[in-house]
């Protein structure tokens, strides 16, 4: 028997399940997503599940279940089942589906914290952090910056300067596989029942870090061997695992480009830490682009705002606008098609 509270099951989810017409069937959490199959961890064990037709048709692909989702399923035998319903999602980690301008792709659902892993050798990039943080804000997922390979040579002052506008409320961890205290500190930040996602490009040491964090003796080891976990995570599937001592960990395949699917351009002001200038622009709805009396542009001219940060602001602002406009456009198109269908129906019923 699995105790699903270790997998993040809560009273709130139980209340939501009670509203489903399938409330008498068992529930579980998706631990692995294959193309059309899902591995679901339930009280009675692991089930390999498929979707019922009503879960597939008439839905946007971003509404299909994903790793981390809680589902209600009909067991077929002791190992297989059919997914009948998905409980309402919260705290979903999305990205822009590559090759599209307005489609969201779910990376993981019910995520409390997202660990953005970058290595201090040559992978560290504040612009990429800003992008992730903006995306996470929309779903109220806590971003956590993890800078790996801190045993290698790097310019700490440079890194800290680049992070200055980011680090207000966002925790930053420097880790090295050769310094077990740094791993333990990160481990202690993950609490029981909490779901954490790890993202990062290939080669930053994410697998090494995850393996070290998941080791039974992570709290005791003095020396964590570098050879653990090398070349293990080569597949592209996502995996949800329980950590010894509590916490649920979801690994994601190396993501290089992360397109934002954010609708709220204002939250960018917080990501870039422009909030200190709030209310200081001449126009209330100032977008800080070319308006007269803009406090941000003035601060930029005085050298109080890093030009790189401001440039990044402009770029992300454009992306958010682009995404929002494409979504609205799509919605409008959808509506006019629905209207057309209605018209045809009305007209044809006249001749019946
Ligand atoms: N110096 C140093 N090297 C590390 C550290 N962590 C990982 N590495 C090395 O970095 C390389 C990449 O580590 P992986 O854990 O395979 O990287 P990954 O991010 O999982 O990459 P993929 O498996 O391609 O997704 C390996 O050669 C590790 O031994 C660290 O803290 N310090
Ligand atoms: Zn302004």
């Amino acid at each position: 028997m699995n105790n699903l509270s270790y997998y993040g099951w809560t009273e709130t989810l139980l209340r939501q399940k009670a509203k489903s017409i399938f409330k008498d069937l068992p529930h579980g959490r998706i631990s692995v997503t294959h193309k059309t199959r899902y591995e679901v961890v339930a009280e009675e064990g692991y089930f390999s599940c498929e979707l019922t037709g009503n879960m597939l048709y008439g839905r946007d692909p971003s509404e299909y279940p994903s790793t981390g989702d809680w589902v209600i399923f009909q067991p077929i035998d002791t190992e297989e089942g059919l997914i009948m319903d998905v409980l309402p999602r919260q705290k979903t980690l999305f990205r822009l589906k590559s090759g599209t301008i307005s489609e969201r792709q779910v990376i993981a659902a019910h995520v409390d914290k997202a660990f953005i892993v970058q290595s201090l050798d040559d992978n560290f990039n504040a612009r990429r952090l800003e992008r992730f943080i903006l995306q996470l804000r929309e779903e109220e997922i806590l971003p956590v910056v993890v800078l790996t390979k801190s045993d290698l040579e790097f310019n700490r002052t440079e890194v800290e300067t680049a992070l200055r506008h980011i680090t207000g409320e966002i925790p930053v961890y420097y880790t090295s596989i050769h310094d077990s205290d740094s791993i333990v500190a990160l481990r202690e930040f993950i609490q029981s029942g909490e779901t954490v996602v790890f993202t990062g490009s290939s080669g930053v040491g994410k697998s090494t870090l995850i393996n070290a964090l998941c080791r039974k003796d992570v709290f005791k080891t003095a020396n964590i061997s570098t050879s653990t976990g090398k070349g293990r995570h080569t597949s592209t599937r996502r995996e949800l695992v329980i950590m010894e001592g509590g916490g649920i960990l979801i690994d994601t395949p190396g993501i290089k480009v992360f397109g934002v699917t954010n609708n709220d351009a204002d939250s960018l002001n917080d990501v870039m830490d422009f909030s200190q200038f709030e209310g200081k622009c001449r126009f209330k709805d100032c977008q800080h682009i070319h308006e007269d009396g803009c406090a941000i542009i003035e601060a930029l001219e005085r050298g109080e705002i890093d030009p790189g940060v401001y440039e990044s602001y402009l770029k992300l602002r454009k992306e958010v606008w682009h995404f929002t406009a494409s979504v609205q456009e799509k919605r409008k198109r959808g509506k006019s098609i629905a209207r057309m269908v209605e018209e045809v129906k009305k007209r044809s019923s006249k001749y019946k």
Side-chain angles (χ1 to χ4, degrees):
M1 262 310 247
N2 285 317
N3 178 345
L4 291 183
S5 64
Y6 293 129
Y7 286 86
W9 183 249
T10 59
E11 287 288 316
T12 315
L13 289 162
L14 183 66
R15 278 195 295 276
Q16 277 163 347
K17 185 188 177 189
K19 292 180 198 153
S20 168
I21 50 168
F22 301 106
K23 64 178 190 306
D24 297 323
L25 292 174
H27 60 267
R29 192 167 193 192
I30 296 179
S31 62
V32 183
T33 306
H34 302 288
K35 266 207 171 73
T36 56
R37 285 202 154 261
Y38 299 87
E39 236 168 80
V40 174
V41 53
E43 274 177 353
E44 301 295 332
Y46 276 88
F47 286 80
S48 170
C49 295
E50 281 185 17
L51 298 181
T52 54
N54 70 334
M55 296 276 331
L56 275 169
Y57 301 113
R59 276 176 194 254
D60 187 89
S62 72
E63 291 173 59
Y64 292 171
S66 184
T67 304
D69 261 322
W70 285 95
V71 297
I72 302 180
F73 67 100
Q74 169 73 64
I76 299 171
D77 52 34
T78 55
E79 286 169 6
E80 286 185 78
L82 282 174
I83 294 177
M84 311 300 288
D85 204 0
V86 187
L87 297 188
R89 260 190 203 139
Q90 281 161 348
K91 300 191 176 218
T92 311
L93 178 58
F94 291 105
R95 71 185 285 203
L96 190 66
K97 195 169 173 189
S98 47
T100 78
I101 46 168
S102 62
E103 272 178 55
R104 297 202 294 185
Q105 181 186 358
V106 179
I107 297 174
H110 301 278
V111 176
D112 297 297
K113 292 172 180 166
F115 290 74
I116 313 165
V117 186
Q118 296 191 347
S119 61
L120 287 159
D121 43 5
D122 58 357
N123 181 264
F124 174 72
N125 182 321
R127 302 291 86 87
R128 214 159 351 101
L129 286 178
E130 289 156 357
R131 181 171 284 279
F132 265 106
I133 292 167
L134 176 67
Q135 185 66 32
L136 296 170
R137 274 192 80 93
E138 180 132 299
E139 290 281 318
E140 293 177 14
I141 298 169
L142 181 75
V144 182
V145 177
V146 181
L147 304 175
T148 60
K149 310 193 189 182
S150 65
D151 52 287
L152 300 180
E153 210 172 301
F154 69 98
N155 187 331
R156 198 168 183 118
T157 323
E158 230 170 66
V159 171
E160 282 172 359
T161 309
L163 286 174
R164 212 170 36 204
H165 66 296
I166 288 174
T167 47
E169 293 152 29
I170 296 172
V172 179
Y173 286 87
Y174 289 79
T175 66
S176 163
I177 208 65
H178 305 291
D179 171 12
S180 60
D181 286 348
S182 72
I183 308 290
V184 172
L186 190 62
R187 180 64 189 85
E188 282 173 346
F189 191 58
I190 305 168
Q191 274 130 41
S192 186
E194 208 168 55
T195 301
V196 302
V197 160
F198 278 75
T199 70
S201 345
S202 185
V204 296
K206 187 160 62 81
S207 313
T208 311
L209 180 64
I210 287 176
N211 287 329
L213 287 169
C214 286
R215 274 178 64 155
K216 284 194 178 86
D217 51 357
V218 61
F219 288 114
K220 288 182 245 142
T221 38
N223 269 308
I224 298 164
S225 137
T226 33
S227 63
T228 46
K230 246 188 100 179
R232 211 178 64 86
H233 286 257
T234 44
S235 68
T236 52
R237 66 178 198 181
R238 292 181 270 279
E239 281 182 281
L240 177 149
V241 293
I242 288 293
M243 300 174 81
E244 188 79 19
I248 304 117
L249 188 148
I250 299 178
D251 190 12
T252 64
I255 297 173
K256 273 210 188 87
V257 195
F258 198 101
V260 295
T261 65
N262 196 305
N263 276 315
D264 176 17
D266 287 342
S267 62
L268 247 178
N269 291 331
D270 299 326
V271 176
M272 300 305 183
D273 200 23
F274 290 169
S275 41
Q276 51 177 314
F277 302 102
E278 210 182 300
K280 292 193 177 148
C281 298
R282 187 179 304 160
F283 304 109
K284 221 175 136 201
D285 57 352
C286 183
Q287 325 228 305
H288 327 308
I289 297 174
H290 41 55
E291 294 90 341
D292 282 336
C294 170
I296 303 289
I297 296 173
E298 283 166 8
L300 179 72
E301 280 162 1
R302 284 197 305 271
E304 286 168 27
I305 291 177
D306 175 354
V309 173
Y310 181 71
E311 218 171 278
S312 174
Y313 164 81
L314 290 181
K315 193 163 184 293
L316 285 169
R317 177 121 210 172
K318 215 159 101 185
E319 278 188 46
V320 171
W321 270 335
H322 206 62
F323 178 75
T324 312
S326 316
V327 169
Q328 276 168 354
E329 182 60 28
K330 206 163 108 186
R331 220 172 273 154
K332 241 191 272 167
R333 246 192 340 253
K335 266 190 199 152
S336 63
I337 289 172
R339 253 201 310 270
M340 247 156 57
V341 171
E342 279 306 305
E343 284 285 307
V344 171
K345 270 195 207 156
K346 258 190 234 155
R347 247 179 280 156
S348 56
S349 66
K350 268 190 210 161
Y351 303 109
K352 264 183 197 154

